[in-house]
Amino acid sequence: MLVPKYGRVVAFEGYELTNNNARIKATEQRIAQLERAAEVETSKREVFEGCTIVENTEENRLQIIFDGKPAPEVRAILKSHAFKWAPSQGAWQRQLTNAARYAGQQVERQLKEVIG
């Protein structure tokens, strides 16, 4: 933006150009991360009969799918680990991150204790 300042025309203010290289580098790293994530395929594992954990890379979600409606104590475990019910997917899910993978392991461990 051309702004007259002190008798001269300034194309950009100093603060507008600050940190450009860091922004470029962060954007390039994010693009590389998204490209790596796109290469990973969806995986499924059955925790026990009637419960499956899915790493859905197309939706970028970690999903826990039950055959029917889970018991209140199972829903409490899922909610305590930030899983939300998604009626459109028919699954309890959260964004697929390393933290979600860890939470999925914790839920799996707790479900095995509760259900047996």
Side-chain angles (χ1 to χ4, degrees), residues 1 10 17 21 28 31 34-35 39-40 44 46 55-56 61 75 77 79 90-91 98-99 102 105 111:
M1 171 161 109
V10 178
L17 301 175
N21 288 335
E28 288 172 346
I31 290 170
L34 292 173
E35 288 172 346
E39 294 172 359
V40 177
K44 294 182 180 183
E46 191 165 329
E55 285 190 19
N56 189 339
R61 298 286 183 261
R75 293 194 310 265
I77 291 170
K79 290 176 185 179
N98 287 334
Y102 179 75
Q105 292 170 354
L111 289 179

Side-chain angles (χ1 to χ4, degrees), residues 37-58:
E39 294 172 359
V40 177
E41 293 187 16
T42 297
S43 64
K44 294 182 180 183
R45 70 177 187 276
E46 191 165 329
V47 177
F48 52 84
E49 189 174 334
C51 178
T52 306
I53 295 180
V54 180
E55 285 190 19
N56 189 339
T57 56
E58 289 83 24

Side-chain angles (χ1 to χ4, degrees), residues 6-76:
Y6 305 115
R8 61 188 170 101
V9 176
V10 178
F12 294 98
E13 293 291 335
Y15 66 87
E16 293 177 312
L17 301 175
T18 303
N19 212 19
N20 274 353
N21 288 335
R23 289 182 191 170
I24 291 168
K25 183 177 179 180
T27 302
E28 288 172 346
Q29 289 175 345
R30 179 67 176 149
I31 290 170
Q33 178 187 13
L34 292 173
E35 288 172 346
R36 285 192 306 273
E39 294 172 359
V40 177
E41 293 187 16
T42 297
S43 64
K44 294 182 180 183
R45 70 177 187 276
E46 191 165 329
V47 177
F48 52 84
E49 189 174 334
C51 178
T52 306
I53 295 180
V54 180
E55 285 190 19
N56 189 339
T57 56
E58 289 83 24
E59 297 291 329
N60 195 30
R61 298 286 183 261
L62 179 68
Q63 300 174 323
I64 301 178
I65 302 170
F66 294 92
D67 285 346
K69 184 175 180 178
E73 53 273 357
V74 172
R75 293 194 310 265

Side-chain angles (χ1 to χ4, degrees), residues 70-110:
E73 53 273 357
V74 172
R75 293 194 310 265
I77 291 170
L78 292 166
K79 290 176 185 179
S80 72
H81 290 283
F83 283 89
K84 306 288 184 208
W85 173 247
S88 63
Q89 299 288 318
W92 289 85
Q93 66 182 14
R94 62 183 279 182
Q95 187 173 6
L96 183 58
T97 62
N98 287 334
R101 289 182 180 100
Y102 179 75
Q105 292 170 354
Q106 297 303 310
V107 167
E108 183 177 350
R109 182 182 56 79
Q110 290 179 1

